[in-house]
Amino acid sequence: MPPTPCSLCHTARALVKRPKTGQQVCKDCFFEVFETEVHNTIVEGKGIFERGEKVAIGASGGKDSTVLAHVLSVLNKRYHYGLDLFLLSIDEGITGYRDDSLETVKQNQIEYGLPLKILSYNELYGWTMDKIVEQVGRRNNCTFCGVFRRQALDRGAAQLGVDHIVTGHNADDIAETVLMNIMRGDIARLGRCTAVTTQSEDTIKRSKPFKYAYEKEIVMYAYFKKLTYFSTECIYSPDDLEAIRPSAIVDIIHSGESFQLEQSVQKGMKAMQTCLRCGYISSNDLCKACALLEGLEAGLDRSALRQTQANSSNAPTGHRTIPMFERYSNVGASQPAEGIEKAVQAIEIK
Amino acid sequence: MSTSDDIITTSNGLGYTSSSAAHPESLVKPPQAPSAGEDTIEIKIEFGGGLHLLFSSQPSHKIHIPRNIPNDDNTATQPVNMRYLVKWMKSNLLSEREEMFGDGDGVRPGILVLINDADWELEGELEYELRDRDEIVFISTLHGG
Ligand SMILES: [Zn+2]
Ligand SMILES: [Zn+2]
C-alpha cells in the first residue's frame, strides 16, 4: 500500500486513523486536533475552569491521567487558562501494583513540574487494600476501593486547598457508565454521569476534560509523545471484567445527556448532610466510608459489636476512625444526593 | 502548530518501566526460528499497555519468520503477512491467556497495532505484507485510567 497523505495538511504521511471520523491524519495534525478538541470541551459553554483556579489532577499513573496531566499543562500555557495545577494521587496500598504506578506519578511530577500530593488509605483509614482484601475477600473489594478513593481524593484536594478535581475519564469510560446506568434503570444518574462538570455547593467540583476523547487516541497520544505512564491491571479487579467496546461511543454519551434530571426526580433524592463521625458530605448519619470502616473494624473485633451498640457519632471503643473532614470553605446547603448508595447497600460484610 | 514539545520525557510511551518488565530487551531465543538469511526476515515486536505480561513479561522481541509462506490453496507461495505473524505469535511467543490477545485470526478489540509507527488500519491490517526489519507495536488500551 502506498503511504496515505494526511487529510488535513496534505503533505505528511498519515499515521492515525481517527476512530470518531475515520479521518487519516499525520502525527503533528493528530496532536493539534486532539489538543484542540480537549480545549473545546474545556471552554464550551461557561467553561469548566475559572481563571486562577487551583485544580488537582487525579493522577493514577495510568495512561488517561498521565495524558490529561500533559495536555492540561500544555493547554494551560497555550491558552493562558491561568490555572494552578497539582497532581493528587491515592495510595490504596496494593503491593506490586500501586507502588509501581506511584513511581510513575513521581516521574510525572518531575517531567511536568507540578506539585504532587500522595494520600494513602493507610494514613486515612488505617487499612490498606491488601489488608481489606485479606479480610473481605475478592468479591466486594472494588466497592470498598471506590468509596475510599472518592473520599480520599476529596480530602487530598481539601488539604491542598483545591476546590476542583479533574479526572481522566474518557469517552469510552463514560459510554460504559451510560450503558451500565441504563441496564440498572438508574435514570437519575444517567444525566449526571455524562456531565463534563459535576458540582453542588458542598462538594468539591469534578470535571472530565476527556469526555469526548477516545481511548484509542489517548493511547496513541501517549505513544507518540513518549509519555511516562504505567499500565497493568489492578491485581484485585475481577478476572471476567470484559470491557464493553461500543462503536458508537459518542452516540451513547449523547443519549445519556438527553436524560435530563427532572426536578421531580431530584426532589425524591435525599438531602445532603455531613457525616456525624467524620464530617464528610453524606446523605446518611454515617458516610459510606465510615460505614464500611466500621464493618471492617468489627470484623477484626467481633466482641466490640456485642458490648457496645455503636451510635452514629461515636465509633465503638477501640475502633479506628477517619479524621474530621475540614474544608476551608464550608457550605451547608441541602443538595441532591449523588453517591453510591445502591452499591453500598448491596454489600454485606461477613 | 503544536507548541507542546517543551515537556521532555525519557520514556517509551508504552506504559511500562524497566523495573516492571522482565527484560528491557528480550533475551529469549524464539523457538525454532531460523536465523536471518535469504529465506527469512527479521521483525521487531514491542508490547505496550501491559500486554507484555502475556508474553513472558518481555516488552521487546526480535524474531525471524519465513519471507514467503504457502498461499491459501498451497499451490504457490506469497509474501508473509500480518495474519501469519499474529498466528505465529500465538503459537510461539504467547505465554498465557490467549483470549486476552487473539480474536479469531486477528487481535482482540482494544489492542492497537502499529506498523512502523503507523496505525495498522491504514496499512491493510492482517493483509499487510511484512518486510525485513519492520517494527510492529501492540498496545492494549484496556488497562487502568
Ligand atoms: Zn497533517
Ligand atoms: Zn464519615
Side-chain angles (χ1 to χ4, degrees):
Chain A
M1 275 195 174
T4 324
C6 171
S7 64
L8 293 174
C9 67
H10 306 289
T11 48
R13 178 183 171 199
L15 292 180
V16 181
K17 186 171 173 189
R18 305 201 68 201
K20 214 175 303 188
T21 54
Q23 198 177 39
Q24 311 187 348
V25 292
C26 73
K27 203 188 278 190
D28 283 340
C29 290
F30 168 65
F31 293 150
E32 181 79 11
V33 289
F34 182 84
E35 289 160 3
T36 303
E37 285 176 6
V38 176
H39 170 69
N40 291 340
T41 306
I42 286 171
V43 298
E44 195 191 1
K46 305 198 301 294
I48 64 178
F49 297 129
E50 280 158 42
R51 180 157 300 277
E53 198 174 15
K54 291 170 89 174
V55 175
I57 302 164
S60 67
K63 60 180 161 56
D64 298 310
S65 58
T66 300
V67 174
L68 180 62
H70 180 101
V71 171
L72 271 191
S73 305
V74 167
L75 295 179
N76 192 29
K77 282 184 208 145
R78 184 182 301 163
Y79 294 104
H80 312 288
Y81 295 159
L83 301 179
D84 214 352
L85 295 172
F86 298 80
L87 296 172
L88 173 57
S89 288
I90 305 304
D91 180 359
E92 296 93 343
I94 304 174
T95 311
Y97 167 69
R98 193 40 97 205
D99 33 4
D100 282 340
S101 52
L102 283 175
E103 282 313 306
T104 310
V105 179
K106 289 177 191 161
Q107 186 63 33
N108 292 153
Q109 173 191 17
I110 299 164
E111 289 165 355
Y112 305 145
L114 299 178
L116 165 66
K117 165 141 194 86
I118 300 175
L119 191 61
S120 73
Y121 283 7
N122 197 29
E123 64 187 278
L124 195 50
Y125 307 113
W127 287 78
T128 61
M129 275 312 288
D130 286 342
K131 280 194 274 171
I132 291 172
V133 170
E134 212 173 283
Q135 173 131 338
V136 306
R138 299 280 291 261
R139 211 175 113 236
N140 286 317
N141 70 79
C142 289
T143 308
F144 279 85
C145 205
V147 169
F148 282 175
R149 188 188 303 108
R150 186 176 180 87
Q151 186 168 143
L153 276 173
D154 277 359
R155 286 169 175 270
Q159 287 176 21
L160 286 169
V162 163
D163 243 354
H164 193 171
I165 299 171
V166 290
T167 56
H169 292 96
N170 61 42
D172 300 59
D173 297 332
I174 296 169
E176 256 176 65
T177 313
V178 170
L179 288 181
M180 237 136 69
N181 287 331
I182 290 172
M183 288 187 283
R184 289 200 198 107
D186 193 342
I187 303 299
R189 216 172 300 158
L190 253 178
R192 192 178 177 87
C193 73
T194 59
V196 182
T197 292
T198 54
Q199 181 183 31
S200 43
E201 264 178 291
D202 52 359
T203 57
I204 286 174
K205 189 165 145 190
R206 286 179 183 248
S207 303
K208 304 165 185 161
F210 280 173
K211 176 182 172 184
Y212 293 116
Y214 277 63
E215 199 146 49
K216 172 182 174 178
E217 296 200 326
I218 291 170
V219 173
M220 285 281 196
Y221 190 94
Y223 176 70
F224 285 138
K225 289 274 183 189
K226 304 291 176 217
L227 302 188
T228 312
Y229 69 100
F230 181 77
S231 180
T232 186
E233 203 163 2
C234 173
I235 53 174
Y236 296 134
S237 67
D239 285 340
D240 55 345
L241 192 75
E242 178 78 26
I244 306 160
R245 310 261 102 218
S247 51
I249 282 170
V250 165
D251 294 341
I252 293 172
I253 296 178
H254 287 321
S255 74
E257 283 166 348
S258 67
F259 284 89
Q260 287 304 327
L261 192 52
E262 298 288 332
Q263 277 303 112
S264 56
V265 180
Q266 287 198 9
K267 285 204 189 94
M269 295 174 96
K270 275 193 196 167
M272 294 308 271
Q273 56 188 62
T274 52
C275 171
L276 294 178
R277 203 171 280 172
C278 79
Y280 187 73
I281 307 93
S282 171
S283 51
N284 294 301
D285 286 355
L286 276 194
C287 74
K288 314 290 171 299
C290 281
L292 290 175
L293 188 61
E294 183 169 314
L296 286 170
E297 293 285 331
L300 275 192
D301 175 18
R302 298 212 167 265
S303 59
L305 259 194
R306 257 186 287 120
Q307 47 179 254
T308 48
Q309 193 55 269
N311 66 30
S312 291
S313 42
N314 295 306
T317 331
H319 282 199
R320 282 167 288 194
T321 53
I322 309 174
M324 279 308 281
F325 181 63
E326 287 168 60
R327 272 184 87 200
Y328 59 94
S329 68
N330 210 8
V331 191
S334 277
Q335 291 296 329
E338 56 180 298
I340 4 215
E341 269 95 312
K342 276 188 193 158
V344 171
Q345 277 160 11
I347 299 187
E348 345 121 26
I349 298 157
K350 298 162 291 186
Chain B
M1 198 67 343
S2 174
T3 54
S4 57
D5 293 319
D6 49 348
I7 294 165
I8 313 290
T9 78
T10 52
S11 188
N12 54 22
L14 287 170
Y16 63 87
T17 53
S18 43
S19 65
S20 68
H23 303 283
E25 183 84 16
S26 167
L27 303 172
V28 94
K29 21 82 234 165
Q32 285 112 16
S35 54
E38 294 248 311
D39 302 331
T40 62
I41 57 174
E42 183 181 283
I43 304 290
K44 188 179 176 199
I45 296 172
E46 269 198 279
F47 296 110
L51 264 189
H52 66 284
L53 298 173
L54 304 179
F55 294 85
S56 315
S57 292
Q58 294 176 16
S60 182
H61 302 249
K62 266 198 184 117
I63 60 140
H64 297 100
I65 50 171
R67 189 181 295 274
N68 292 294
I69 52 169
N71 67 2
D72 288 341
D73 48 14
N74 254 320
T75 54
T77 62
Q78 64 177 69
V80 66
N81 55 17
M82 281 295 292
R83 185 185 307 281
Y84 180 93
L85 179 69
V86 169
K87 202 164 115 196
W88 187 93
M89 289 168 67
K90 285 179 194 163
S91 39
N92 293 285
L93 276 189
L94 195 66
S95 57
E96 52 205 293
R97 296 173 76 185
E98 166 157 2
E99 76 284 357
M100 298 291 288
F101 178 69
D103 181 29
D105 272 3
V107 299
R108 71 179 273 192
I111 294 180
L112 256 165
V113 186
L114 293 138
I115 299 173
N116 301 322
D117 264 1
D119 192 344
W120 82 330
E121 292 180 38
L122 301 174
E123 299 289 320
E125 303 190 28
L126 290 171
E127 308 310 324
Y128 173 81
E129 292 178 358
L130 288 154
R131 286 172 303 185
D132 194 30
R133 293 174 199 275
D134 273 348
E135 295 190 8
I136 315 295
V137 178
F138 297 86
I139 313 176
S140 170
T141 66
L142 296 181
H143 298 158

